Amino acid sequence: MRDRPGARLSGSCDLDTRHALSAALGVVTGLPGPVVHLDLSAVAFLDTAAVAALVQASAALNGEGRRLLLHDPPYSLRKVVEMFPDECAALEVAA
């Protein structure tokens, strides 16, 4: 992302792309700054394992006093958060 620390994901995050998502989250969480942004506007689908990976990345940053801010999440992520609010409490979506 040009104007802030973060990245933009695209495609689908499922069993076939799980390793790529893990690698991308490793890079994103290593970026400096109090807030790291993740643009999900080009993501068509996130399976539950992908959502869990986002929760873990967000929780790790929260443990460092930092934040992972998700932008334009797909319906699949919003639905998982709706179904499992306690488990997804670490996720923060931009208004």
Side-chain angles (χ1 to χ4, degrees), residues 13 18 21-22 25 46-60 68 70 76-77 80-81 84 87-91:
C13 299
R18 193 161 295 150
L21 176 62
S22 293
L25 290 175
L46 292 163
D47 70 5
T48 55
V51 174
L54 289 173
V55 169
Q56 289 174 341
S58 184
L68 177 63
L70 307 176
S76 55
L77 182 134
V80 170
V81 170
F84 303 101
E87 291 82 352
C88 296
L91 296 179

Side-chain angles (χ1 to χ4, degrees), residues 7-82:
R8 181 175 190 236
L9 298 181
S10 64
S12 292
C13 299
D14 54 25
L15 180 62
D16 294 335
T17 59
R18 193 161 295 150
H19 295 295
L21 176 62
S22 293
L25 290 175
V27 170
V28 167
T29 58
L31 294 173
V35 180
V36 178
H37 301 266
L38 193 56
D39 181 352
L40 301 173
S41 62
V43 173
F45 175 77
L46 292 163
D47 70 5
T48 55
V51 174
L54 289 173
V55 169
Q56 289 174 341
S58 184
L61 285 175
N62 289 343
E64 298 173 5
R66 302 169 63 209
R67 297 169 40 214
L68 177 63
L69 189 56
L70 307 176
H71 296 266
D72 299 314
Y75 174 79
S76 55
L77 182 134
R78 293 190 310 264
K79 193 64 177 171
V80 170
V81 170
E82 181 182 302

